Structure formats: C-alpha cells, structure tokens
Amino acid sequence: MLPMGTISRGTRLLGQHAAALECCSVLCRSMSSSSLRVPPPACMLRPLEVPFRYLFGPGPSNVPPRVLAAGGRPIVGHMHPETYQIMNDIKEGIRYAFQTTNPMTLAMSGSGHTAMECAVFNTVEPGESVLVAINGVWGERVAEIAERIGANVHTLVKAPGGYFTNEEIEKAISKHRPVLFFLTHGESSAGLAHPVDGIGDICRKYNSLFLVDTVASLGAAPIFMDKQKIDILYTGSQKALNAPPGTAPISFNERACQKMFNRKTKPVSYLLDMTHLSNYWGNDGKPARDYHHTGPVSGFFCLRESLAILAEKGLEDSWRHHREVAEYLWKGLEDLGLKLFIKEKDLRLPSVTTIAIPDRYEWRQLLTYIMKHHQMEMTGGLGPSIGMVMRVGLMGYNCSKFNADKALAALEDALKNCKKHKA
Ligand code: GLV
C-alpha cells in the first residue's frame, strides 16, 4: 500500500504518457487552423528516459555524483566574470594534470577530436611535412586530418599493439623533417601505453613539434608535459577525468606558440583558430576577452569539478590506483583463461585493457550478452583492432576492485553461456 499522496513511478509515467497523447491530439486538431505543417513529434512529448549502465568500456565512463551535480548548477553567461574565473581555475587544473607551466593552456569546446583538430589545424600549413605514428585508430585519424588540410603526410605504421623505438622514430624524423610528429600515449584501440621518454629531444634536434594524445591515459598513467619536452598535449574529459564528454583540455608550449602564431595562412577553422581561442581563454595578454563562441558553460562546471577531484586525490595517487586496479583485473582475466592482448606488462594501458578474442567465441555475442544480462558496456576493437580485441575500461570513478570483480563476473557468465564455434 502506498502512503497517501504518493503515486508509483509507473502510474506517474502512464499519466505523463496520457497527457502527452492528449496534448498531441489537441495540437494535431489545431494544425488545420495553424501555419504549421510539421506537427510536434510524438517522441518529444514523451519524458526523457536514460537507463543506468555500467560504462566499463573505453569511455565515456560513469560520472561521480559530485561532477553530475556540478553540471546541474544554474547557467551563468559564458562571458560573465564568474565563468572567466571558472575557466581560469580549469587552466590551473589542466596545468597540474599535464605537469606543465605553459600559459597557453585551455579547454576546447568539444570532444578529444576537437583538440586533435585544433592542434593540427593551428600548427601545420598546407604543403608542410607531418609524420604520424600509427599503431591504432588515433594515428589514422590524425593522418586523415592532416591530409585534409593539404599537409604532406608521412606515416610510421605498426599493427595494433606494436610500438615504436626511439631509433625508428629518429630515422623517420630525420628522413621526413616534419614540422609536427604525432604519437598516441594511450592507444585505447589497442590498450597500449606508449613510452614517451627521449622523443621530445629527438623532435627538438630536427626542429619538429612533438604532439601527444593522452585522451585515454591522462590521470591513469604518468605523463609529464614539460619534463618530457612535449610541445602540444591534449586529452578528453570523459575518460579517467570522469566528466561528461564535451570538453577537451589542451596545452601548447612556447615552441608550439612560435609556430602557430607566425603562420603565412589562416587556419582553416574559425572555431578552432588559436588566435581567437587564446583571447577567449584570457591567454593572449590583452586586457579584454572578446566574444568568439559560446562555450559549454555546464561542461566547464563539470570539467572544473573533475579536475578538482584529481587535485584533491593527487596525480601520483591516481596513477598508482589505476595501475593497482588494472593489475587486479589482468590477474582476474588470466584466471578466467583469457589472454591479454598486450603481452608486456609495462606497455599495458592501465585505463583500458584489451583481451584477445577467446578461441571459438564470437566477440559480438559475448558483448551483447554482457550488455543484456549485466547492463554493462564493454566494447570490441576500434579501427584496425576490430575483430582482434575486446576492451574493458575501468577509469576514474569506475576504477575500483569492486568494479573489476563485477566486470570479471560478467565475463565469466558470458563465457559460460555464449555458444562456442566448432573447433
Ligand atoms: C574511444 O575513445 C575508444 O577508444 O573507443
């Protein structure tokens, strides 16, 4: 029996549906006397429904209540002083997370891809040489982006899971003399954390800028922008930072600024032009910030909160924690008889683990089973790793041994209940 004045969720939804239908039919009846020829869509008259899912794939991750609450704060104007203060705080938080003192630090309005395009669009001009290390999907993307702006694109290619030695990188850089060399630190499509030490020095020797993607690794695996002589570094909000997708931290050092602010041509994108964005983020030394675009104010609140969580926990603690949970997961996977795709432990990405597709199983069937019976997202490969791996991501808020046990139980259940092919 429900207490007086209380209605069940089902009754409330039925009531809302009935009201929506009534509203729809009234609107349709009045259409004949109105100037509108397209009626309000029935789906828009139903309440928003979002299921709960365990997001144990490569991202986005589940978001802590504190970050969700930050996103629910009242909107303020994108050019109000309070918003500028929040943007200034974000810049400090990014500098800490990237381990840099670069003044030219900001967050893009958009996902990691926006930061990827911003880096390439601003530092490369048509006809210039670019070298891209490809050992998964992200290098493929950067090569395509650079090609679209008319760069002379060279690639260093390995199969997913492969990595490049500093000797191989130096050989290719000395041959192609690129203005920009791109490397993915956290290759989420293969589950690889690429070594970075020494590459910044090679880039300086040949006057190339060193661009690094840490979308899947920031906060989960160590990276030191200044110490490792990385000229441009970017990440996304939705992985170990565990904010919703939609903002992307990026930082440029003095070398990168020299190149991008001394161009002969304008970057192809107005939205991503750093001459405007540096002013919008208060980085160009001018007394006033001008209107450029309307930033995602709620996304900035969330990003600020997620960077605050990282600052409170401490980067080293966050790296240690991700590694510890990853090792626990790796052991559990091996105990289930599964094989890890990246053999060398030190090259494994702690945030996204790749499992070789188990013999005689259909990976799609396993993942569909896990989603259906455990409301849990794990994913297959991406780009060149499709059909090679299944991916389990435990990052940020999701990074715990408790969640690793949940993921392992779901996999064990799927292995028991999904059909094997004949040998
Ligand atoms: C996206 O970032 C992915 O790795 O699937």
Side-chain angles (χ1 to χ4, degrees), residues 120-121 124-130 143-153 268:
V120 178
F121 284 178
V124 180
E125 295 196 65
E128 287 183 329
S129 170
V130 169
E144 156 118 34
I145 289 166
E147 195 186 296
R148 282 173 183 235
I149 59 164
N152 187 9
V153 180
V268 290

Side-chain angles (χ1 to χ4, degrees), residues 9-206:
R9 183 174 174 276
T11 314
R12 199 174 60 238
L13 281 178
L14 273 178
Q16 284 172 344
H17 280 259
L21 283 176
E22 171 62 14
C23 173
C24 191
S25 86
V26 168
L27 281 164
C28 288
R29 264 181 270 127
S30 65
M31 287 290 289
S32 52
S33 61
S34 130
S35 59
L36 305 179
R37 287 296 166 264
V38 180
C43 63
M44 285 301 152
L45 303 173
R46 289 197 298 267
L48 170 72
E49 282 185 35
V50 182
F52 176 79
R53 297 258 155 79
Y54 295 100
L55 298 178
F56 294 174
S61 289
N62 295 101
V63 169
R66 178 174 159 187
V67 173
L68 283 179
R73 296 286 187 92
I75 304 291
V76 281
H78 61 294
M79 296 178 73
H80 291 184
E82 296 81 1
T83 304
Y84 287 156
Q85 183 55 51
I86 289 165
M87 291 163 81
N88 290 345
D89 295 348
I90 287 173
K91 292 192 286 187
E92 294 292 342
I94 297 171
R95 287 188 192 107
Y96 171 67
F98 284 8
Q99 287 296 289
T100 184
T101 56
N102 291 335
M104 196 55 73
T105 297
L106 62 150
M108 306 299 303
S109 307
S111 70
H113 271 84
T114 323
M116 186 188 263
E117 290 206 328
C118 176
V120 178
F121 284 178
N122 282 280
T123 56
V124 180
E125 295 196 65
E128 287 183 329
S129 170
V130 169
L131 178 66
V132 183
I134 300 180
N135 56 344
V137 75
W138 307 117
E140 287 184 350
R141 287 289 158 90
V142 168
E144 156 118 34
I145 289 166
E147 195 186 296
R148 282 173 183 235
I149 59 164
N152 187 9
V153 180
H154 305 280
T155 55
L156 251 182
V157 183
K158 293 253 163 127
Y163 71 98
F164 306 91
T165 63
N166 286 9
E167 290 67 37
E168 287 169 323
I169 291 171
E170 176 153 12
K171 198 165 153 218
I173 292 184
S174 68
K175 178 167 171 207
H176 300 297
R177 298 300 175 117
V179 296
L180 184 75
F181 170 61
F182 170 85
L183 183 78
T184 313
H185 177 234
E187 185 34 273
S188 60
S189 63
L192 186 107
H194 202 292
V196 170
D197 284 344
I199 303 174
D201 285 316
I202 298 171
C203 288
R204 284 183 190 195
K205 186 166 156 194
Y206 296 95

Side-chain angles (χ1 to χ4, degrees), residues 58-59 137-138 188-189 215 238-239 379 382 391:
V137 75
W138 307 117
S188 60
S189 63
V215 173
Q238 74 278 16
K239 311 255 181 180
T379 69
L382 189 66
R391 299 183 294 160

Side-chain angles (χ1 to χ4, degrees), residues 364-379:
R364 281 191 191 86
Q365 199 191 5
L366 290 169
L367 299 177
T368 307
Y369 181 94
I370 289 170
M371 177 62 94
K372 181 164 173 213
H373 295 274
H374 297 268
Q375 294 73 52
M376 190 180 288
E377 179 192 58
M378 292 179 190
T379 69

Side-chain angles (χ1 to χ4, degrees), residues 227-280:
K227 201 159 80 189
Q228 291 174 315
K229 299 190 176 132
I230 298 168
D231 299 299
I232 310 151
L233 187 76
Y234 65 84
T235 193
S237 54
Q238 74 278 16
K239 311 255 181 180
L241 279 181
N242 52 215
T247 53
I250 189 166
S251 181
F252 299 83
N253 68 5
E254 184 50 34
R255 293 179 81 228
C257 289
Q258 280 299 330
K259 173 80 172 79
M260 74 182 170
F261 294 134
N262 289 292
R263 303 171 55 104
K264 293 184 208 72
T265 57
K266 285 185 178 179
V268 290
S269 167
Y270 183 88
L271 179 63
L272 305 183
D273 186 335
M274 277 300 297
T275 51
H276 299 304
L277 287 173
S278 61
N279 174 264
Y280 182 59

